[in-house]
Amino acid sequence: MKNTYIEIMDRAFGCYTKEQIADYYERVKREGLTEHGFPRLASNLGVLICHGRHKELLPLFIDLMDLCCEQMPKVHAANDFSVREVVTCLLEVEKAGIVDDAKLAEWKSAISGLDPWKCYDCIAKKPDQIIGNWTLFNAVSEYARVWVKLEDVEEYMELQIATQIIRFDECGMYMDAAVHPYSEYVYPILYDYVPRLLFAFLINFGYEGKHRDAIVEALEKSADLTLKMQSVTGEIPFGGRSAQFMHNECTEAALLEFYASYFAKKGDSKKAGQFKRAARLAAENVLYWFDSAPMKHVKNRYSIESKIGCEAYAYFDKYMITAASMAYVAYLYADDSVAEAETCPAIEGGYVAQTSDRFHKYFLNKGGYFVEIETDSDKHYEGSGVGRVQKLGAPPQICLSAGFGDHPSYGTEIKNWHSLSLCSSCLIGDTVYLGAHGVYTVDEIEARDGECYAALTCHIGDVVTNETVTVSEKGVTITARADADKVGIEIPAFAFDGVENSHIHVAGSVMTVEYKGFACTYKTNGQIFDVKEDICNRNGRYRRFRAVGEGEVSVSITIEKL
């Protein structure tokens, strides 16, 4: 797996042409260091050279690192993120001996001279302060400096950590403290994974400070749930900011590698092996997307210039190299002496799981099928309801990997006029009510003999619909009921990934979507109607269909190889 992570790093770095890197370098020289993408690029190139790759770029690496070490102590350039990465790169450089001692000493001196109170952007002044996750990034950056004996800043570091350990929920997941511009904040799922990965950095590299016990307790609480949230295609749950990017599963793989090593050290070889297998599943997902040319930083095949799937802050220069950065953390955490199990919960299935009410997500996994339900989504990213249906071995997006935002916060090929999911709908008079716009409650969820089952109630204003979801080796079945003129189930059919069209066939009560050698088939006891509207998520463009019945309607979904 260590070799796999170096390969992922190399492939992420390889997405940058020499011309792009040269332009990036000239821009930073001209305009100054303003964000963390550039130090990440420099650090990851250095690590790759240390591992025998891109040796011809050593002079360029020296130039890039010179610029970083010269400017980082002087400017606010998201150093919160960058210092840890530069420090770990310098460790690799020192071990590999790729630069002379004088140059290494020059870089170390620059980084050791950083004043944390002046060079970071998100600084807590008191231990109970509610403050964003950048504080955790810079606390871990400071620990990296302590760890390699570049500086003694433990007082600063402990203060920042104190503000972050109060952000754990009852499941040990991290609740981001950012202020949402639209409504009550919906915690992004990646903003749980990355902070837990940073806490894991502290524990993995010997942190023995006053908050160690609280950190370990949270990491242990969230361990099993981390396994069960993983989809059959290796993906982290959908939801919110920074979702569906290449670095998501690199982050997941790193966290899973930490757990594999952690439980191996505790003597639990069975659990360690499961985490090791889950890490491989995550890495396989990353490689699947890298093989889906053209390679880019978000999970679609539109051009980089289109910025489809991206938010303003999530541009290529910054986020493509982030995949390499997270893969390097996976490399650091990975212990290849840990015996990998033949399976893991995501592959084996047979369970239901749920987060705390703070994250309001539910998971059903059985017979190779995986369903994720979001009960109260951030409508600028996804709709509420069934937002993911995946099949082991099949393309993740052939049915649905993530829902659809209403006027989404990310770029889309066309405007979305609704949020949407595989949700119930109903017609009352001339008005169509969509479950994706509502708030769900889960009335029952359980793993039964041969299937996993959930019963849901959706409130769309004063309108109420009821849904059931069953998952088995036969597929996924969604049933909707309501006191309405017509009851429907919305079916977004995958149409276009940015390069390749699917083939959609509709015949009465059956619809089939063919894509990359697989067929996703929808069958209903009602009728399937073309809504004649396209809708987009980060993965691409979908066509809207609706299965309609009288008072009740069911849709069964199967995904099979052609």
Side-chain angles (χ1 to χ4, degrees):
M1 289 304 295
K2 279 186 174 292
N3 289 337
T4 298
Y5 298 130
I6 295 297
E7 178 63 23
I8 290 172
M9 290 181 68
D10 200 359
R11 295 187 69 173
F13 180 81
C15 292
Y16 297 79
T17 66
K18 290 181 180 179
E19 292 74 21
Q20 283 174 311
I21 296 173
D23 288 346
Y24 198 3
Y25 179 40
E26 289 302 319
R27 186 169 74 249
V28 173
K29 280 200 298 183
R30 183 175 62 253
E31 300 175 3
L33 197 60
T34 58
E35 46 83 13
H36 56 281
F38 188 83
R40 279 181 169 166
L41 188 69
S43 298
N44 283 284
L45 174 57
V47 171
L48 287 168
I49 293 171
C50 291
H51 286 267
R53 311 200 181 200
H54 305 292
K55 291 182 178 180
E56 75 283 1
L57 297 181
L58 179 58
L60 174 62
F61 164 66
I62 292 172
D63 287 343
L64 300 182
M65 190 58 76
D66 277 346
L67 195 158
C68 291
C69 290
E70 188 274 328
Q71 290 208 8
M72 286 171 65
K74 302 175 183 177
V75 300
H76 285 263
N79 291 327
D80 311 65
F81 300 84
S82 307
V83 170
R84 171 185 57 84
E85 301 202 27
V86 169
V87 168
T88 52
C89 173
L90 295 184
L91 275 178
E92 292 278 359
V93 168
E94 186 170 26
K95 285 189 289 185
I98 63 171
V99 301
D100 60 46
D101 290 346
K103 176 57 68 176
L104 182 63
E106 177 187 326
W107 291 340
K108 281 186 172 183
S109 176
I111 298 302
S112 66
L114 286 166
D115 182 345
W117 294 101
K118 294 179 179 179
C119 79
Y120 293 131
D121 291 294
C122 190
I123 299 173
K125 301 298 196 301
K126 53 185 181 178
D128 59 349
Q129 185 175 345
I130 303 301
I131 193 167
N133 65 65
W134 282 36
T135 300
L136 180 57
F137 276 94
N138 73 58
V140 173
S141 282
E142 289 306 281
Y143 181 70
R145 294 207 299 157
V146 171
W147 174 48
V148 298
K149 299 179 174 58
L150 287 179
E151 193 56 75
D152 183 6
V153 287
E154 292 188 48
E155 183 178 352
Y156 172 91
M157 178 187 70
E158 294 288 10
L159 173 59
Q160 307 311 307
I161 293 173
T163 69
Q164 299 299 291
I165 59 171
I166 61 177
R167 302 305 306 165
F168 291 123
D169 72 0
E170 56 265 41
C171 295
M173 292 175 66
Y174 179 92
M175 301 174 293
D176 184 54
V179 177
H180 196 278
Y182 308 112
S183 61
E184 184 177 349
Y185 195 49
V186 179
Y187 301 120
I189 198 70
L190 185 70
Y191 287 39
D192 157 60
Y193 276 72
V194 172
R196 283 196 288 134
L197 184 68
L198 295 172
F199 281 118
F201 186 95
L202 298 174
I203 302 305
N204 195 75
F205 293 111
Y207 170 73
E208 293 289 347
K210 65 176 76 172
H211 304 298
R212 176 185 170 83
D213 289 349
I215 295 169
V216 168
E217 180 183 4
L219 289 172
E220 289 188 350
K221 273 184 181 179
S222 55
D224 287 344
L225 185 56
T226 303
L227 285 175
K228 291 180 177 178
M229 290 193 297
Q230 184 181 38
S231 80
V232 291
T233 67
E235 293 190 344
I236 70 168
F238 66 81
R241 289 167 58 92
S242 301
Q244 294 293 301
F245 283 88
M246 292 294 294
H247 64 80
N248 287 189
E249 281 63 48
C250 295
T251 300
E252 179 189 37
L255 185 58
L256 293 165
E257 288 287 4
F258 163 77
Y259 279 125
S261 300
Y262 177 80
F263 285 110
K265 291 172 186 173
K266 290 188 64 127
D268 192 339
S269 58
K270 180 179 179 180
K271 185 172 284 191
Q274 289 183 334
F275 278 105
K276 196 73 173 176
R277 179 65 185 92
R280 181 179 297 279
L281 185 63
E284 288 168 349
N285 181 274
V286 177
L287 293 170
Y288 164 83
W289 285 104
F290 273 149
D291 288 338
S292 298
M295 293 192 295
K296 58 180 296 190
H297 62 305
V298 65
K299 294 178 180 178
N300 62 56
R301 299 170 69 192
Y302 294 89
S303 69
I304 293 168
E305 292 75 20
S306 74
K307 298 184 180 177
I308 287 176
C310 304
E311 296 174 71
Y313 66 89
Y315 48 89
F316 176 86
D317 283 350
K318 185 197 293 185
Y319 261 21
M320 186 73 257
I321 201 61
T322 301
S325 292
M326 294 307 182
Y328 179 57
V329 178
Y331 168 87
L332 289 174
Y333 291 172
D335 178 356
D336 283 349
S337 70
V338 176
E340 184 179 314
E342 292 184 4
T343 188
C344 60
I347 295 171
E348 189 171 359
Y351 64 83
V352 298
Q354 66 188 75
T355 65
S356 73
D357 291 342
R358 307 293 185 91
F359 286 90
H360 33 73
K361 289 182 177 295
Y362 296 78
F363 310 91
L364 301 89
N365 185 332
K366 183 69 178 180
Y369 286 92
F370 183 89
V371 169
E372 179 181 342
I373 301 166
E374 165 62 67
T375 60
D376 190 11
S377 66
D378 183 334
K379 303 303 188 293
H380 291 272
Y381 292 94
E382 294 91 18
S384 298
V386 174
R388 172 170 290 173
V389 174
Q390 293 181 348
K391 174 71 180 295
L392 183 67
Q397 74 277 43
I398 190 172
C399 180
L400 193 61
S401 282
F404 306 82
D406 177 5
H407 299 84
S409 297
Y410 49 85
T412 54
E413 182 183 337
I414 58 174
K415 287 184 177 180
N416 287 354
W417 301 105
H418 312 278
S419 54
L420 199 68
S421 62
L422 279 159
C423 63
S424 59
S425 59
C426 58
L427 177 66
I428 300 177
D430 294 328
T431 304
V432 176
Y433 294 84
L434 296 174
H437 293 175
V439 176
Y440 281 79
T441 57
V442 176
D443 305 313
E444 185 179 358
I445 185 167
E446 64 175 331
R448 302 169 169 176
D449 288 342
E451 68 177 21
C452 292
Y453 170 85
L456 319 172
T457 301
C458 181
H459 294 266
I460 317 158
D462 294 331
V463 176
V464 177
T465 64
N466 297 105
E467 299 176 28
T468 60
V469 182
T470 59
V471 184
S472 72
E473 62 183 11
K474 296 178 182 179
V476 175
T477 299
I478 304 171
T479 301
R481 303 174 187 86
D483 183 10
D485 301 330
K486 297 284 186 181
V487 178
I489 293 174
E490 302 299 303
I491 307 175
F494 186 63
F496 183 58
D497 64 8
V499 171
E500 185 176 346
N501 289 287
S502 69
H503 298 282
I504 301 173
H505 311 277
V506 183
S509 61
V510 179
M511 179 172 69
T512 301
V513 178
E514 295 180 0
Y515 176 72
K516 288 189 176 294
F518 283 80
C520 179
T521 302
Y522 304 84
K523 294 181 181 179
T524 179
N525 59 356
Q527 290 291 311
I528 293 178
F529 293 95
D530 189 344
V531 179
K532 299 188 183 304
E533 179 180 284
D534 288 348
I535 192 164
C536 298
N537 64 11
R538 295 190 196 264
N539 299 136
R541 175 167 31 91
Y542 290 66
R543 287 174 56 190
R544 282 188 65 190
F545 294 85
R546 180 179 297 138
V548 178
E550 301 284 345
E552 177 178 316
V553 66
S554 293
V555 172
S556 63
I557 305 168
T558 57
I559 304 172
E560 302 294 343
K561 199 165 188 177
L562 289 169

